[in-house]
Amino acid sequence: MTSDTNLPAAPSAPAVPAGITESGGNVFLDLGFAPGEAAVLALRADLMARLRLMVQAEGWTQAQAAERFGIAQSRVSDLMRGKWDKFSLDMLITLAARAGRKVELAMA
């Protein structure tokens, strides 16, 4: 996943109730996506969640976030609503950089 000390940590998952299969760590892989596609989808989901948390933690309005990110307010609305299909991994990294954050990718 992404690693950045400047971005808020992603929320932790609750305990798994009995009768439910625990994820192997990447829900997209668990859903049957090919490993490469699952990795990209997981990175996008993680970075999008961290950007949403950052906007909330900073107390930015959507208009303020739009100015900071250099995008239209409607795009910030898409981000805040979790419309992941509207953002490429490249764009999410660009948004973090425009907000003064550093995104690091580590291979395990």
Side-chain angles (χ1 to χ4, degrees):
M1 296 298 157
T2 57
S3 170
D4 187 331
T5 57
N6 294 323
L7 292 176
S12 60
V16 178
I20 295 178
T21 303
E22 188 170 350
S23 171
N26 181 331
V27 68
F28 299 104
L29 195 56
D30 296 339
L31 290 171
F33 287 92
E37 186 176 5
V40 171
L41 289 169
L43 287 168
R44 285 171 55 195
D46 182 56
L47 189 49
M48 184 173 239
R50 290 173 186 252
L51 287 168
R52 279 196 316 264
L53 289 172
M54 182 185 69
V55 169
Q56 292 168 344
E58 295 290 337
W60 294 339
T61 64
Q62 286 189 8
Q64 290 169 323
E67 185 175 327
R68 187 70 179 235
F69 292 145
I71 58 175
Q73 183 274 325
S74 62
R75 296 280 285 154
V76 175
S77 178
D78 291 339
L79 177 76
M80 300 306 287
R81 291 176 178 212
K83 294 187 177 182
W84 59 270
D85 56 320
K86 297 192 177 229
F87 294 90
S88 67
L89 182 56
D90 289 350
M91 181 53 141
L92 293 167
I93 292 169
T94 298
L95 296 179
R98 287 177 181 170
R101 302 308 201 264
K102 179 181 171 187
V103 177
E104 296 176 352
L105 175 67
M107 284 182 45

